[in-house]
Amino acid sequence: MSRISIILPAKNEAAALKDLLPRLTSAQPGAEIIVVDDGSTDETRAVCAAAGVVCLSSPYSMGNGAAIKRGARAASGDILVFMDGDGQHDPADVQRLLARLDQGFDMVVGARDWESQAGVGRGVANTVYNWLASRMTGHVVADLTSGFRVARALRFREFLHLLPNGFSYPTTSTMAFFRSAYGVAYEPIKAGQRLGKSHIKPLKDGIRFLLIIFKIATLYSPLKLFFPASALFFLLGCANYARTFLAEGRLTNGSALMWSAAVIVFLIGLVSEQITALTYRPFGDK
């Protein structure tokens, strides 16, 4: 049987871990449980010691993604299970995700419903992300940003170098699996309310999540982002030329600049597409 490693990134989540770790140990008695302490200043290490689980402590906060990478490198299991350390994810759901993995998938993601979203704003944002990712990949993406997922260790470790140190590791890993033609499935889950205060800052992280939209495109197929932009510049140039030709009978600098921009953006898209292909090619050839 495959050995299971459960990885929980945690920053000042001692209160949630006191309840979560015993439940997790009971639900998955044979699993390796690793809590990655991301520079916590509370009793996280003491709680882990009392529960008898491994605690990897960082001297300072490096970010959620950095904790995921550290845990994935340290895990000895063939199957990696990622859960948030704030108590939102139910240990009883782990077995359902593992069962889907046994059907031949390489990664299974716990997909939250609308009631499980942390507020209307987050729910709307996640809906936009899911729609965009679905359009980019040609597959239904039910929850792009869910941190509750299971994956085959060898597959997941292929993309550790792509994962950011911040909060968008779920987005990056999902798009990387799709790009490499690894099977991804979604299993409906109910996420509870987190214990303690969220580490997400609305303004700062709102801008960061906006950048995720562009990252989704560039991770999967940059040309799908750059080509429409190039076409827009070209059409604007044509429209401006038609206006100035009818009014003044000449070609203006504005039209020439927009056509030049169209060519430049298109060429940037081509170069980005080749860079993306090179990024994934070594793993796809294994």
Side-chain angles (χ1 to χ4, degrees), residues 249-270:
R250 66 189 182 92
L251 172 66
T252 63
N253 290 335
S255 296
L257 285 174
M258 282 185 275
W259 285 334
S260 298
V263 173
I264 292 171
V265 171
F266 180 71
L267 292 177
I268 291 174
L270 284 179

Side-chain angles (χ1 to χ4, degrees), residues 3-9 21 24-25 27-36 53-54 71 75 77 79-83 91 94 98 148 150:
R3 178 169 168 77
I4 299 169
S5 293
I6 303 176
I7 301 166
L8 301 95
L21 292 179
L24 194 55
T25 303
Q28 297 292 329
E32 174 187 45
I33 301 176
I34 302 174
V35 174
V36 185
V53 304
V54 177
I79 305 297
L80 304 181
V81 179
F82 300 99
M83 301 177 65
V94 173
L98 291 173
F148 189 14
V150 303

Side-chain angles (χ1 to χ4, degrees), residues 188-209:
I189 63 167
K190 291 281 187 181
Q193 295 296 317
R194 64 165 288 124
L195 297 179
K197 185 178 179 181
S198 173
H199 302 298
I200 294 181
K201 300 177 178 61
L203 179 59
K204 178 181 177 181
D205 293 309
I207 297 174
R208 178 174 53 79
F209 282 131

Side-chain angles (χ1 to χ4, degrees), residues 187-263:
E187 182 68 18
I189 63 167
K190 291 281 187 181
Q193 295 296 317
R194 64 165 288 124
L195 297 179
K197 185 178 179 181
S198 173
H199 302 298
I200 294 181
K201 300 177 178 61
L203 179 59
K204 178 181 177 181
D205 293 309
I207 297 174
R208 178 174 53 79
F209 282 131
L210 181 63
L211 294 177
I212 289 176
I213 294 178
F214 296 100
K215 188 173 184 179
I216 291 170
T218 54
L219 270 176
Y220 194 79
S221 182
L223 206 54
K224 289 185 177 181
L225 174 67
F226 286 97
F227 181 75
S230 174
L232 178 61
F233 277 116
F234 178 77
L235 292 175
L236 287 175
C238 291
N240 187 65
Y241 173 59
R243 180 184 65 82
T244 57
F245 180 79
L246 293 175
E248 306 172 21
R250 66 189 182 92
L251 172 66
T252 63
N253 290 335
S255 296
L257 285 174
M258 282 185 275
W259 285 334
S260 298
V263 173

Side-chain angles (χ1 to χ4, degrees), residues 86-162:
D86 54 18
Q88 292 188 77
H89 300 147
D90 188 351
D93 290 333
V94 173
Q95 195 57 46
R96 289 199 293 117
L97 270 64
L98 291 173
R100 293 294 304 279
L101 200 69
D102 289 338
Q103 295 175 9
F105 294 101
D106 295 294
M107 182 165 69
V108 180
V109 181
R112 299 161 292 180
D113 57 16
W114 180 263
E115 295 178 355
S116 298
Q117 300 293 334
V120 175
R122 291 280 297 279
V124 171
N126 287 335
T127 300
V128 173
Y129 301 151
N130 296 341
W131 174 83
L132 178 61
S134 298
R135 292 293 300 271
M136 292 297 300
T137 62
H139 301 278
V140 176
V141 177
D143 195 339
L144 184 65
T145 61
S146 173
F148 189 14
R149 55 189 59 207
V150 303
R152 302 189 188 280
L154 289 177
R155 301 291 194 226
F156 191 85
R157 290 193 182 106
E158 289 183 10
F159 308 112
L160 286 185
H161 68 290
L162 293 177

